[in-house]
Amino acid sequence: MNLKGRDFLKLLDFTPEEIQYLLDLAADLKDKKKNHIAHDYCKGMNVALIFEKTSTRTRCSFEVAAHDLGMGSTYLNPKDSQIGKKETIADTARVLSGMFEGIEYRGYGQDIVDELAKYADVPVWNGLTNEFHPTQILADFLTIREHFGKLKGINFVYMGDARYNMGNSLMVGCAKMGLNFTACAPEEYFPDAALVAECKEIASQSGGSIRLCTDPMEATKGADVIYTDVWVSMGEPVEVWQERIDALGPYEVNQKLMDNAADGCVFMHCLPAYHDLGTEVGKEMGERFGRDHMEVTNDVFESPASIVFQEAENRMHTIKAVMAATLADLD
Ligand code: CP
Ligand code: NVA
């Protein structure tokens, strides 16, 4: 397997064998890190990290992983750089290609990261767009594999806003790797019909399945993993909270759903999560709408079934695998 020079823009561009290879590499790099074994496979290289939206996990993962691989990293945001205001993506791509060995981009439309990759002559990695969040799915799958020892045949249920980056990417990932994917939401929050059709076709090759369901109890029966994400994503206007709470309130993850699932079912979330009133937005929205949580109750979030922090740590190991595989000579 050789992924050197490849972009990492969305999972649809990768075969199940390539995804498997990235997960195996991430597991190996995690093991090396835990055992203090050096793995500076990209010594002397540098990466540019463009963040047009905020981040804790993804930014820290890229920075720590770059450091562990022996690389320098430069963080760029729209406030402190020329990107978007005075310089196009195409020009930025060509400027950064002359100074860096790889470029990460987090921002709005998938077309922007695609454009960056078109004009850059170094690998470009998608750190989240409105449509896809592929590095998150690698972390999620490494976590599921660590927990259950396998991916194939896992009953994976995604609750909530399934038409955005997380719902789309998890559906693609499950289709590729042979999991049974269920999106549970009101119909208007189902993923795009064309993407659903494409994933059904992929799943028919991998032994996985794709199901769309509006009933939370029916969806979660027999679930091994119940996953959710925020109801209002970065870049969406604050005005949509009311309609999201009305539409998605019945799709919150609570103990009743966890009890309805298979024995040993785990709870996962890409984070950040609104599980209590401990954040500025959580408090403001909670008070406005009379709720002490949004997409997941605090008891589920804090329960032993919740593996969200293991999942968050795995962001770093999997992002490191993506950078090492696309930049280094690993053989
Ligand atoms: N899950 C995730 O992408 O987290 P950040 O927004 O903190 O990077
Ligand atoms: N759907 C969320 C994911 C955050 C990791 C967002 O785009 O804000």
Side-chain angles (χ1 to χ4, degrees):
M1 189 67 68
N2 186 352
L3 301 182
K4 193 172 173 201
R6 291 270 297 273
D7 297 317
F8 189 76
L9 304 178
K10 57 186 190 303
L11 289 180
L12 283 170
D13 302 336
F14 287 79
T15 65
E17 293 72 27
E18 289 168 342
I19 296 170
Q20 179 79 35
Y21 167 76
L22 288 170
L23 295 174
D24 292 345
L25 179 59
D28 178 56
L29 292 169
K30 182 172 181 175
D31 195 56
K32 286 197 165 71
K33 171 98 176 169
K34 300 277 176 202
N35 289 296
H36 309 287
I37 299 168
H39 45 282
D40 49 353
Y41 305 138
C42 303
K43 225 177 184 155
M45 296 186 190
N46 287 284
V47 290
L49 311 177
I50 305 172
F51 281 84
E52 298 209 88
K53 291 176 178 171
T54 52
S55 169
T56 296
R57 274 146 294 272
T58 310
R59 176 181 175 182
C60 293
S61 296
F62 271 100
E63 291 193 0
V64 171
H67 181 265
D68 288 353
L69 289 169
M71 297 194 283
S73 61
T74 299
Y75 170 79
L76 292 158
N77 67 29
K79 193 163 63 69
D80 304 321
S81 70
Q82 316 287 19
I83 300 167
K85 292 187 299 284
K86 283 173 65 180
E87 196 152 39
T88 62
I89 288 292
D91 292 355
T92 303
R94 288 173 288 180
V95 170
L96 297 182
S97 292
M99 300 182 198
F100 295 94
E101 276 74 21
I103 305 168
E104 179 275 355
Y105 175 83
R106 164 173 286 199
Y108 296 87
Q110 183 73 17
D111 54 324
I112 303 173
V113 78
D114 288 344
E115 168 106 344
L116 194 59
K118 183 175 158 199
Y119 285 94
D121 52 22
V122 297
V124 171
W125 311 296
N126 178 356
L128 177 147
T129 59
N130 294 346
E131 293 86 348
F132 295 112
H133 193 7
T135 63
Q136 177 72 51
I137 283 48
L138 293 181
D140 298 341
F141 283 11
L142 179 64
T143 311
I144 293 171
R145 217 174 69 165
E146 287 173 346
H147 192 86
F148 292 100
K150 62 173 187 175
L151 291 174
K152 265 195 195 307
I154 291 290
N155 294 322
F156 185 103
V157 179
Y158 179 87
M159 303 291 305
D161 183 1
R163 73 206 153 119
Y164 219 70
N165 42 25
M166 286 311 306
N168 288 342
S169 309
L170 285 165
M171 179 170 70
V172 174
C174 287
K176 291 262 177 188
M177 303 311 284
L179 290 80
N180 299 314
F181 177 83
T182 300
C184 182
E187 274 177 25
E188 59 276 25
Y189 289 89
F190 282 167
D192 174 65
L195 187 62
V196 171
E198 190 175 356
C199 287
K200 282 189 173 168
E201 179 57 36
I202 297 168
S204 72
Q205 308 292 313
S206 70
S209 60
I210 306 293
R211 174 173 67 142
L212 305 180
C213 182
T214 56
D215 179 354
M217 292 303 275
E218 189 188 326
T220 51
K221 202 161 175 43
D224 298 308
V225 179
I226 298 182
Y227 196 116
T228 192
D229 180 20
V230 292
W231 292 339
V232 178
S233 285
M234 288 182 278
E236 294 197 288
V238 71
E239 290 74 35
V240 301
W241 271 102
Q242 178 71 71
E243 74 188 46
R244 294 296 154 76
I245 288 170
D246 292 346
L248 300 174
Y251 297 86
E252 68 171 33
V253 178
N254 54 33
Q255 197 54 47
K256 184 173 161 214
L257 289 193
M258 296 300 292
D259 291 342
N260 185 49
D263 284 346
C265 175
V266 294
F267 170 72
M268 297 181 74
H269 191 308
C270 53
L271 305 182
Y274 293 118
H275 58 93
D276 62 15
L277 301 182
T279 64
E280 214 176 286
V281 177
K283 186 165 182 295
E284 190 191 330
M285 293 306 144
E287 282 168 0
R288 229 170 96 192
F289 299 108
R291 294 178 66 97
D292 64 5
H293 63 277
M294 292 294 172
E295 70 274 11
V296 56
T297 57
N298 195 49
D299 57 342
V300 169
F301 186 88
E302 296 291 356
S303 71
S306 171
I307 55 172
V308 296
F309 296 113
Q310 179 185 347
E311 181 186 2
E313 180 192 321
N314 283 337
R315 295 298 310 287
M316 201 281 285
H317 305 298
T318 44
I319 280 173
K320 189 185 284 177
V322 170
M323 288 199 289
T326 54
L327 293 180
D329 284 310
L330 291 176
D331 297 329

